[in-house]
């Protein structure tokens, strides 16, 4: 079956004209898709022959709300979406002062196996299509009757392990034929798949890039993030510098502060040396405790001290405000609890 929602206008036009339909039908179909219809039957201006053709040959990807948790603290909504094949993914909807942001998933599970991550612990099933990434945004918009202005690819999965579909998603979602969310309002987060960082830099998109770093030392980083054995820190930073050269866009580094693991003054000093002179921002995130991982977040005092060392060396660093702390709003946690029967 053809995944109609992953197609752009010219692909859809080719698809329909190749099957003997008029060119202008593609725009009509796209307009319906843009309006969020979930079946071909609802596309009432299409001739019967085309509706039947589409029903027989294509499908409209969707994400249906299976579970939803709303934070009593800040209104953050965490969704567990069910996909057409019964797989589940999570998204988190946040309301900042400047509008709604959504954190979406790019894969069902993840192959990367980071030890602090709930998704990493739950294994890997499959990658998402571009249409399934769009469907998460649409479903959250519909459920709340809102328009989402910012998207981060920081939910379940490693975006650069699903590179083609993610790039397709970026191009689609930012086009007028789809949700029209500008690339500047989208951020991709990667654990550091170096060759894809080069590919991404060469595309020179306006989209933001965030790198999950979590330690300035190879030995320690390899312990928590197995990908580091394949692409060690020096290679990663080299790729980041290439990205900066190509795009002139500031990079974000994510750094989860784990008590006694990566939060010492020495870690902060080594991190400062590593990123010295780089156009970047460091997001310090007190680690979310994932059941079974045995990690606890750094004390408030440690967080501040770590941040102060970075700032005093000229680096731009902030401790990220935790949203949805009462609803496990960190990727992979809801699905994990749901499958254990806890929620
Ligand atoms: N796979 C991508 C994007 C999804 S993970 C990546 O790793 O970057 C999104 C972010 O959440 C990453 O920065 C990741 O390191 C972080 N993260 C995962 N588990 C976490 C936890 N328990 N506490 C804090 N941050 C976590
Ligand atoms: Fe995958 Fe990112 Fe989790 Fe690592 S942190 S296991 S790359 S989702």
């Amino acid at each position: 079956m053809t995944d109609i929602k992953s197609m752009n206008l010219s692909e859809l036009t080719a698809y329909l004209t190749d099957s003997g339909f008029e060119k202008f039908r593609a725009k009509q179909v796209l307009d319906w898709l843009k309006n969020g219809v979930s079946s071909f039957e609802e596309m009432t201006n299409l001739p019967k022959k085309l509706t039947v053709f589409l029903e027989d040959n294509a499908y409209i990807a969707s994400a249906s709300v299976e579970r939803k948790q709303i934070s009593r603290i800040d209104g953050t909504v965490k969704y567990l979406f069910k996909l057409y094949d019964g797989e589940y993914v999570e998204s988190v909807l946040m309301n900042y002062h400047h509008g709604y942001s959504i954190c979406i998933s790019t894969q069902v599970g993840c192959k990367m196996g980071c030890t602090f991550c709930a998704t990493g612990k739950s294994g890997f099933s499959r990658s998402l299509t571009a249409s399934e990434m769009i469907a998460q945004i649409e479903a959250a918009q519909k459920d709340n009757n809102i328009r989402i202005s910012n998207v981060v690819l920081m939910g379940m999965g490693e975006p650069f392990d699903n590179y083609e579909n993610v790039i397709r998603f970026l191009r689609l979602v930012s086009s007028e034929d789809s949700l029209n969310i500008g690339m500047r309002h989208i951020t991709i987060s990667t654990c550091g798949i170096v060759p894809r960082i080069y590919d991404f830099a060469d595309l020179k998109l306006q989209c933001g890039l965030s790198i999950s770093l979590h330690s300035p030392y190879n030995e320690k980083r390899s312990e928590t993030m197995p990908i580091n054995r394949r692409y060690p820190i020096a290679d990663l930073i080299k790729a980041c510098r290439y990205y900066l050269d190509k795009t002139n866009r500031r990079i974000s580094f994510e750094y989860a502060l784990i008590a006694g693991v990566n939060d010492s003054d020495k870690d902060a000093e080594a991190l400062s040396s590593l990123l010295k002179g780089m156009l970047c921002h460091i997001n310090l995130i007190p680690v979310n405790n994932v059941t079974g991982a045995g990690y606890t977040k750094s004390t408030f005092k440690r967080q501040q001290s770590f941040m102060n060392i970075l700032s005093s060396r000229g680096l731009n660093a902030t401790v990220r405000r935790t949203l949805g702390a009462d609803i496990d709003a960190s990727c992979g946690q809801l699905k994990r609890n749901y499958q254990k029967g806890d929620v």
Side-chain angles (χ1 to χ4, degrees):
M1 293 291 261
T2 301
D3 173 12
I4 201 138
K5 251 178 116 105
S6 285
M7 286 185 183
N8 61 30
L9 181 60
S10 61
E11 289 163 338
L12 188 56
T13 305
Y15 176 66
L16 293 182
T17 51
D18 284 354
S19 307
F21 297 99
E22 303 104 317
K23 198 174 157 206
F24 73 94
R25 297 293 179 198
K27 183 83 175 77
Q28 286 182 322
V29 171
L30 266 192
D31 283 342
W32 285 112
L33 292 175
K34 205 165 125 180
N35 283 316
V37 299
S38 52
S39 72
F40 295 115
E41 216 178 20
E42 292 165 71
M43 303 181 174
T44 48
N45 58 354
L46 303 188
K48 181 82 188 148
K49 202 171 144 215
L50 178 52
T51 313
V52 171
F53 169 81
L54 290 171
E55 277 169 351
D56 289 347
N57 296 287
Y59 71 97
I60 304 174
S62 66
S64 60
V65 182
E66 178 76 11
R67 273 278 190 288
K68 171 165 133 179
Q69 290 181 323
I70 305 172
S71 165
R72 283 193 203 99
I73 306 171
D74 51 46
T76 295
V77 188
K78 176 145 183 159
Y79 287 100
L80 184 67
F81 287 124
K82 191 174 185 173
L83 306 174
Y84 75 95
D85 59 353
E87 293 282 8
Y88 297 105
V89 290
E90 296 181 10
S91 310
V92 180
L93 177 70
M94 294 151 284
N95 186 2
Y96 290 117
H97 306 300
H98 53 270
Y100 287 95
S101 285
I102 190 167
C103 172
I104 62 164
S105 294
T106 55
Q107 295 181 313
V108 182
C110 185
K111 292 179 214 158
M112 302 298 139
C114 304
T115 55
F116 46 79
C117 174
T119 306
K121 289 195 163 296
S122 59
F124 173 79
S125 299
R126 68 173 175 88
S127 283
L128 298 194
T129 58
S131 55
E132 287 172 323
M133 296 174 217
I134 291 179
Q136 295 169 61
I137 306 173
E138 284 179 340
Q141 290 197 148
K142 205 166 174 184
D143 191 47
N144 297 280
N145 202 13
I146 52 161
R147 182 165 154 72
I148 290 171
S149 47
N150 290 282
V151 180
V152 294
L153 279 64
M154 279 198 190
M156 301 167 67
E158 166 50 45
F160 283 175
D161 185 42
N162 184 17
Y163 188 76
E164 303 295 327
N165 288 332
V166 163
I167 301 302
R168 175 170 281 277
F169 160 78
L170 292 177
R171 295 201 195 280
L172 270 177
V173 79
S174 58
S175 85
E176 281 176 13
D177 296 327
S178 179
L179 296 177
N180 204 7
I181 300 175
M183 291 259 192
R184 284 175 191 280
H185 299 276
I186 307 176
T187 302
I188 290 195
S189 175
T190 178
C191 63
I193 302 188
V194 165
R196 295 291 87 75
I197 297 176
Y198 285 99
D199 293 343
F200 189 66
D202 288 336
L203 294 179
K204 292 192 180 180
L205 301 178
Q206 292 297 313
C207 168
L209 181 64
S210 182
I211 306 283
S212 301
L213 192 55
H214 306 319
S215 175
Y217 299 113
N218 274 321
E219 205 177 314
K220 240 191 257 180
R221 190 167 189 267
S222 295
E223 248 168 56
T224 51
M225 302 183 71
I227 192 73
N228 194 68
R229 290 176 207 145
R230 191 125 159 245
Y231 305 114
I233 293 171
D235 295 357
L236 177 58
I237 298 300
K238 205 170 144 201
C240 290
R241 291 196 190 276
Y242 180 84
Y243 172 87
L244 281 170
D245 279 351
K246 278 273 165 182
T247 65
N248 232 342
R249 294 186 63 83
R250 187 171 79 155
I251 290 191
S252 289
F253 289 98
E254 306 290 307
Y255 196 104
L257 288 167
I258 313 175
V261 174
N262 63 357
D263 66 343
S264 70
D265 287 354
K266 199 169 151 262
D267 289 307
E269 281 154 18
L271 182 63
S272 310
S273 313
L274 184 68
L275 302 181
K276 204 173 156 196
M278 207 164 170
L279 181 66
C280 69
H281 178 87
I282 304 161
N283 266 323
L284 301 169
I285 318 143
V287 77
N288 254 298
N289 186 15
V290 173
T291 323
Y295 296 129
T296 48
K297 65 176 167 220
S298 311
T299 59
F300 182 71
K301 214 173 133 205
R302 218 30 347 260
Q303 296 169 24
Q304 294 305 311
S305 157
F306 199 95
M307 185 176 77
N308 290 338
I309 292 174
L310 298 178
S311 306
S312 71
R313 283 157 201 240
L315 285 159
N316 186 331
T318 45
V319 177
R320 188 188 284 167
R321 187 162 62 106
T322 313
L323 287 177
D326 55 334
I327 56 166
D328 290 341
S330 139
C331 60
Q333 295 189 17
L334 178 60
K335 180 176 168 184
R336 222 166 120 85
N337 293 342
Y338 180 59
Q339 285 175 341
K340 281 194 329 208
D342 289 354
V343 285

